[in-house]
Amino acid sequence: MSVPNLADRIGDLLPLSDDERAALDQLIERDRPVRRGATLVRENDRSTELFALKSGRMMAYQLLADGSRQIVRFVFPGDLTGTSVLVYGKAQQTLVAAADSVVAPIERAQLIELTTRHPRLAVAITALEQVERAVLSDRLAAMARTSAHARVAAVLLDIRDRLRRGDPSIGATFALGLTQEEIGDAIGLTAVHVNRMLRQLVDERLIARSGGRVTILDEARLRRVAYHTDRLAGVDLSWLVGPREA
Amino acid sequence: MSVPNLADRIGDLLPLSDDERAALDQLIERDRPVRRGATLVRENDRSTELFALKSGRMMAYQLLADGSRQIVRFVFPGDLTGTSVLVYGKAQQTLVAAADSVVAPIERAQLIELTTRHPRLAVAITALEQVERAVLSDRLAAMARTSAHARVAAVLLDIRDRLRRGDPSIGATFALGLTQEEIGDAIGLTAVHVNRMLRQLVDERLIARSGGRVTILDEARLRRVAYHTDRLAGVDLSWLVGPREA
DNA sequence: CGAGTACTTGAAAGATCTCAAATTAGGTGG
DNA sequence: CCACCTAATTTGAGATCTTTCAAGTACTCG
């Protein structure tokens, strides 16, 4: 596979029976292309669909009362997004394609039906949600407690790590695929200040930049500066009963 | 009931069959008292227990590399907490009692067993998790994008709303039950600045204070100042099949 | 009554934002 | 391939917000 899909992601957490894998594959069988810059769902839209990203990249954001935009999450292939329609019946966040993308739309009833027939998959999907939550908590702590310098470092590492999950050949150099304004909207800074912090990271010889591409020069030090923790690392579902017994 | 428990909270989302309610009641049958100030779980502790709060109040926090504390969540009666042990097998956050409390410890295997036998409850618990996530997203946006003034206003409203959920007789006046340092650790401010912002809210006639108690004088305006949204309001699980058919 | 913790206030330092302008990069039609 | 157009980036200077440090006051518990 070129990019991981939902079944691959879940398969990484948990050995899947053929039956379970087939059910997941069927869940994401439909394709819907979304052009770069296009909006897939708008905040507060009434909807009963959620999405698995198959390729490309998307961003989920909320608008605040004063018009500013908070990018809550970058969505990479294999991620499930819009899960809050399960509960709210409407979208809590706007979903925009950051690159040409393909999503699999999933009716919430489909997902419920899947989890009813395959309780282990329900647990696995819950696990993915829990990881999201842990990431969100970390980001909250970072926004509240760390400097602009640290947050910019953190977002660089985060994007690189997530790109690498889809393509292990990615090394220290990668295309960020974000404008400085988007970075700012993700970590609560103005574009101007993001620019200054990037320059500072360059001056400190932590990264290099050329033509939209970033090179991490000293990953250990950058990670220290960013107070970075990898939340997918500690996930352990091995205690769940194996596929046969389930 | 004096304070809501987990079964009540879920019952608010979804009409429960007798069977389902009994299963929930059984899930939280054990009692473990925790004295004010005591630590129930420490971040990174290996553990397979999660908890439902039965009475009192708790706080979940993370420590950052520089030693500062981020309070990620205030836990009220009926809340489930520590759910990340499902996935990580260890606690992601430290849990401390903010008041004398009683929790029901729940083995993760118990919860899995419950959700396997009662798929609708699995959905309901997922719903609670989704609400938590939406709240966390809002808080992220608030940290990243709103002023100290707005954040202090928001935390006051948040605490009041959650107290009221447990005791509808609570009106405009309530005991905050938090030190200014704790408020600061929740919203990313120093205690000194929290103090100044409280004073400013008083000067603006939005609130009054006396002896640890806060009175909201102009709720509409305070809510506007805080950019506040109530995330439990929009929850709708009515589309799930009723208990009989399930 | 005394000791410790929480609260309060002031002044100065530091971080980040705002505003403004100059420069660069990328995309398009000729 | 060039010329142009727009969006993105870069830099400077001053304003604003929040923190830090320091000191004094109030409250609570034993």
Side-chain angles (χ1 to χ4, degrees):
Chain A
M1 86 208 130
S2 68
V3 291
N5 65 23
L6 184 63
D8 300 322
R9 285 287 291 286
I10 291 178
D12 286 346
L13 298 180
L14 201 67
L16 297 177
S17 69
D18 293 346
D19 207 30
E20 287 169 337
R21 181 163 263 279
L24 281 173
D25 284 338
Q26 200 216 325
L27 188 70
I28 57 171
E29 69 186 348
R30 286 193 292 159
D31 275 5
R32 186 183 305 173
V34 193
R35 189 135 335 201
R36 175 184 150 75
T39 301
L40 181 58
V41 179
R42 208 173 303 272
E43 195 175 347
N44 291 321
D45 274 0
R46 198 136 270 292
S47 159
T48 56
E49 270 182 338
L50 50 167
F51 302 94
L53 185 59
K54 300 179 103 166
S55 68
R57 190 185 326 171
M58 307 199 72
M59 303 185 292
Y61 67 80
Q62 306 182 176
L63 290 177
L64 275 76
D66 66 352
S68 61
R69 170 176 75 161
Q70 174 63 41
I71 296 177
V72 175
R73 188 181 170 210
F74 296 115
V75 182
F76 285 79
D79 287 341
L80 204 57
T81 186
T83 45
S84 60
V85 298
L86 282 177
V87 179
Y88 288 103
K90 68 180 188 179
Q92 302 296 307
Q93 290 157 3
T94 300
L95 274 175
V96 172
D100 290 344
S101 302
V102 178
V103 301
I106 301 170
E107 263 305 316
R108 67 177 176 187
Q110 269 184 285
L111 185 66
I112 296 302
E113 207 242 342
L114 175 87
T115 56
T116 306
R117 274 192 300 115
H118 299 282
R120 287 175 78 249
L121 294 183
V123 177
I125 289 171
T126 302
L128 290 178
E129 294 288 304
Q130 293 290 339
V131 173
E132 287 304 321
R133 185 223 275 247
V135 169
L136 212 50
S137 299
D138 288 345
R139 238 146 74 67
L140 175 68
M143 289 314 112
R145 286 300 185 198
T146 74
S147 66
H149 184 240
R151 281 181 269 164
V152 171
V155 81
L156 295 180
L157 283 165
D158 188 48
I159 297 286
R160 205 282 304 257
D161 288 350
R162 300 191 66 186
L163 283 173
R164 181 136 72 178
R165 211 175 300 147
D167 176 359
S169 75
I170 287 173
T173 299
F174 60 102
L176 203 46
L178 295 173
T179 66
Q180 294 178 4
E181 179 153 21
E182 287 165 343
I183 297 174
D185 284 346
I187 60 180
L189 296 173
T190 58
V192 171
H193 205 57
V194 169
N195 183 277
R196 287 192 233 271
M197 293 301 106
L198 284 171
R199 152 168 284 285
Q200 190 182 332
L201 291 172
V202 170
D203 289 347
E204 293 167 327
R205 308 254 181 284
L206 290 170
I207 64 169
R209 285 187 303 156
S210 78
R213 299 178 70 79
V214 173
T215 301
I216 295 177
L217 295 177
D218 186 340
E219 179 162 346
R221 202 146 57 88
L222 191 63
R223 230 168 256 285
R224 224 168 315 122
V225 157
Y227 297 126
H228 190 274
T229 23
D230 182 353
R231 284 300 178 172
L232 206 58
V235 175
D236 173 18
L237 292 182
S238 58
W239 56 280
L240 274 177
V241 291
R244 271 161 245 87
E245 302 98 298
Chain B
M1 86 209 128
S2 68
V3 291
N5 65 23
L6 184 63
D8 300 322
R9 284 287 290 286
I10 290 178
D12 287 345
L13 298 180
L14 202 66
L16 297 178
S17 69
D18 292 347
D19 208 29
E20 287 169 336
R21 181 164 261 277
L24 281 173
D25 284 338
Q26 200 216 324
L27 187 72
I28 57 172
E29 69 186 347
R30 286 194 291 159
D31 274 6
R32 186 183 305 172
V34 193
R35 190 133 335 198
R36 173 185 152 75
T39 299
L40 181 59
V41 179
R42 210 173 302 271
E43 194 175 347
N44 292 319
D45 275 359
R46 198 135 271 292
S47 160
T48 56
E49 268 181 338
L50 50 168
F51 302 95
L53 185 60
K54 301 178 100 166
S55 67
R57 191 185 324 172
M58 306 199 73
M59 303 184 294
Y61 67 80
Q62 306 182 176
L63 290 177
L64 276 76
D66 66 352
S68 61
R69 170 176 74 162
Q70 174 64 41
I71 297 177
V72 175
R73 188 181 170 212
F74 296 115
V75 183
F76 284 79
D79 287 341
L80 205 57
T81 186
T83 45
S84 60
V85 298
L86 282 177
V87 179
Y88 289 103
K90 68 179 187 180
Q92 302 299 113
Q93 290 156 3
T94 299
L95 274 174
V96 172
D100 289 345
S101 302
V102 178
V103 301
I106 301 170
E107 263 305 316
R108 66 177 176 188
Q110 270 183 285
L111 185 64
I112 296 301
E113 207 242 340
L114 175 87
T115 55
T116 306
R117 275 192 299 115
H118 300 282
R120 287 174 77 248
L121 294 183
V123 178
I125 289 171
T126 303
L128 291 178
E129 294 288 305
Q130 293 290 340
V131 173
E132 286 304 321
R133 184 222 275 245
V135 168
L136 213 49
S137 299
D138 287 346
R139 237 145 74 69
L140 176 68
M143 290 314 112
R145 287 299 186 198
T146 74
S147 66
H149 184 241
R151 282 181 269 164
V152 171
V155 81
L156 294 180
L157 283 165
D158 187 48
I159 297 287
R160 204 281 303 259
D161 288 351
R162 299 191 66 185
L163 283 173
R164 183 136 72 178
R165 212 176 298 147
D167 176 359
S169 74
I170 287 174
T173 300
F174 60 103
L176 203 46
L178 296 172
T179 67
Q180 294 178 3
E181 179 153 21
E182 287 165 344
I183 297 174
D185 284 346
I187 59 181
L189 296 173
T190 58
V192 171
H193 206 56
V194 169
N195 183 277
R196 287 193 233 272
M197 294 300 106
L198 284 171
R199 151 166 285 285
Q200 190 182 334
L201 291 172
V202 170
D203 289 348
E204 294 168 326
R205 309 253 180 284
L206 291 170
I207 63 169
R209 284 187 304 156
S210 78
R213 299 178 69 79
V214 173
T215 301
I216 296 177
L217 295 177
D218 186 340
E219 180 162 344
R221 201 145 58 87
L222 190 63
R223 229 168 257 283
R224 223 170 312 124
V225 159
Y227 297 125
H228 189 276
T229 24
D230 182 352
R231 283 301 177 172
L232 205 58
V235 175
D236 174 17
L237 293 181
S238 58
W239 56 280
L240 274 177
V241 290
R244 272 160 243 91
E245 303 97 296

